[in-house]
Amino acid sequence: MNAVEEGDLIVRREGAAGVIRLNRPKAINAMTLEMSIGIDAALDTFETDPDVAAIILEGAGERGLCAGGDIRGLWESSREGGDLGARFWRQEYVMNARIAKYPKPYVAFMDGLVMGGGVGLSGHASHRVVTDRTRLAMPEVGLGFFPDVGGTWLLSRSPGEIGTYFGLTGQTMNGPDAIHAKFADAVVPAAEWPELREALTKVRKGVTAADVSKLISGFETGETAGPVAAKEPAIDALFGFDRMDDIFAALKRDGSEFALATLKTLNEKSPRGMVVTLKLLRLARTASSLEECLVREYRAALEVFRSDDFREGVRAAVIDKDRNPSWSPPRIEDVTPQMLAPYLAEIGADELKFS
């Protein structure tokens, strides 16, 4: 076991595996800009190291892989008119695209909480392992934001309107529902992970993705659908619209317990955030690549960073924790096309680029 770096990020080689461990357990491994840069550097090292056959991504502690990005830091920079958002998201989104194309098997252990930026680190991996303790979510609309880190690409490729539902409500997926939504590949009981992890450190040089899939299959439960999957017919009927007004109207018309509970959840979210999210999800359906979605997400993220809704959403959820945000505008019908346009506009020389 050869440690390369300690602190908020632990990078080491264990046998044939290059291990990347997020190491902020008290913050459920929330990712900072420095951690993101460190992960990129680790991927550089492991890609060219002939003794590293596969990558293992994991989180320290028992609470989860990663609860997302360092929202508090972004909030402070936004309030001060800083540029942390532009720097953080540019670094993060380019890394997300890199993970999706990484030439060696990349195994993400998605135990416990996996949210926001944690999905960006794991959801694009070649091998995505969830557990009986996984709680995966893209809750950004509750912060006046939208599902980013390639979330619009992933959600738009979930079956039916499942991705629309998860993206707009921010509801949590368990392991089997993450499989159904195409955010993960295998459910492995958390108790089995140490043995699987040990096996991954002993794979041979030149191991293929298929070889790693076969190895993981010896530990997985075979579950492929959870409680939300059972509601897919209702979700398809209620969320199969391109306008938030129509989704709200369908939920009100339906009047079922599920529809009313969903309506209550949506009424707590940022109206502007929901409209932006739905538009990005619909555009993502016709996207030809993850990179295309990330370019669009970066444009929208810069606009979010400048917005009152983002600062208010983070204040209510993270800073003051009063859970009572004052959204601007406060109603879905007040979100105009003119308000939406800046989130989609091209940004010239500042566009996200992939080397």
Side-chain angles (χ1 to χ4, degrees), residues 258-329:
F258 172 70
L260 294 177
T262 301
L263 192 61
K264 182 178 184 297
T265 296
L266 292 178
N267 276 322
E268 297 168 355
K269 309 301 180 186
S270 160
R272 190 188 303 232
M274 286 188 284
V275 171
V276 171
T277 294
L278 184 59
K279 182 64 175 179
L280 290 174
L281 288 175
R282 294 302 183 249
L283 288 170
R285 283 186 169 170
T286 58
S288 60
S289 66
L290 167 62
E291 286 88 346
E292 182 181 335
C293 290
L294 286 166
V295 166
R296 203 176 281 127
E297 289 176 11
Y298 188 68
R299 294 170 184 166
L302 294 187
E303 188 64 24
V304 166
F305 194 66
R306 292 187 284 265
S307 75
D308 292 335
D309 258 20
F310 175 67
R311 290 186 287 271
E312 176 63 8
V314 176
R315 180 207 63 76
V318 179
I319 309 301
D320 298 337
K321 299 182 180 179
D322 59 24
R323 307 291 174 182
N324 188 31
S326 296
W327 300 120
S328 176

Side-chain angles (χ1 to χ4, degrees), residues 23-219:
N23 193 40
R24 298 183 69 206
K26 290 182 179 178
I28 319 181
N29 302 313
M31 188 172 62
T32 64
L33 174 60
E34 291 72 26
M35 289 168 70
S36 181
I37 292 170
I39 292 167
D40 236 354
L43 293 174
D44 282 339
T45 299
F46 293 149
E47 185 172 345
T48 57
D49 187 340
D51 292 323
V52 172
I55 309 301
I56 296 174
L57 173 76
E58 59 188 6
E62 299 293 321
R63 298 167 68 193
L65 170 64
C66 177
D70 183 15
I71 291 293
R72 184 180 289 269
L74 289 166
W75 177 79
E76 290 172 351
S77 181
S78 177
R79 289 182 72 210
E80 297 165 0
D83 67 347
L84 179 59
R87 292 185 294 118
F88 180 79
W89 290 317
R90 182 178 293 276
Q91 160 64 33
E92 186 179 27
Y93 295 1
V94 171
M95 180 179 62
N96 297 149
R98 179 185 188 178
I99 289 168
K101 293 184 174 181
Y102 201 69
K104 295 181 180 181
Y106 178 117
V107 182
F109 180 50
M110 303 164 72
D111 188 38
L113 278 178
V114 184
M115 302 171 73
V119 174
L121 292 174
S122 58
H124 307 297
S126 61
H127 299 80
R128 304 168 299 178
V129 177
V130 286
T131 77
D132 48 309
R133 303 188 304 197
T134 294
R135 297 293 179 266
L136 188 152
M138 299 293 286
E140 290 82 359
V141 178
L143 298 175
F145 200 38
F146 62 88
D148 66 329
V149 296
T152 60
W153 169 261
L154 293 169
L155 289 164
S156 67
R157 274 141 189 83
S158 297
E161 299 296 340
I162 288 286
T164 311
Y165 169 78
F166 279 125
L168 290 172
T169 65
Q171 294 290 77
T172 301
M173 311 177 199
N174 67 4
D177 267 329
I179 302 284
H180 183 71
K182 299 186 179 179
F183 272 69
D185 305 301
V187 179
V188 173
E192 299 288 321
W193 171 245
E195 187 177 348
L196 171 56
R197 188 185 187 285
E198 178 69 15
L200 288 167
T201 67
K202 295 178 179 177
V203 296
R204 59 177 173 77
K205 293 181 183 179
V207 67
T208 67
D211 293 333
V212 173
S213 295
K214 185 176 180 180
L215 175 60
I216 293 171
S217 70
F219 294 85

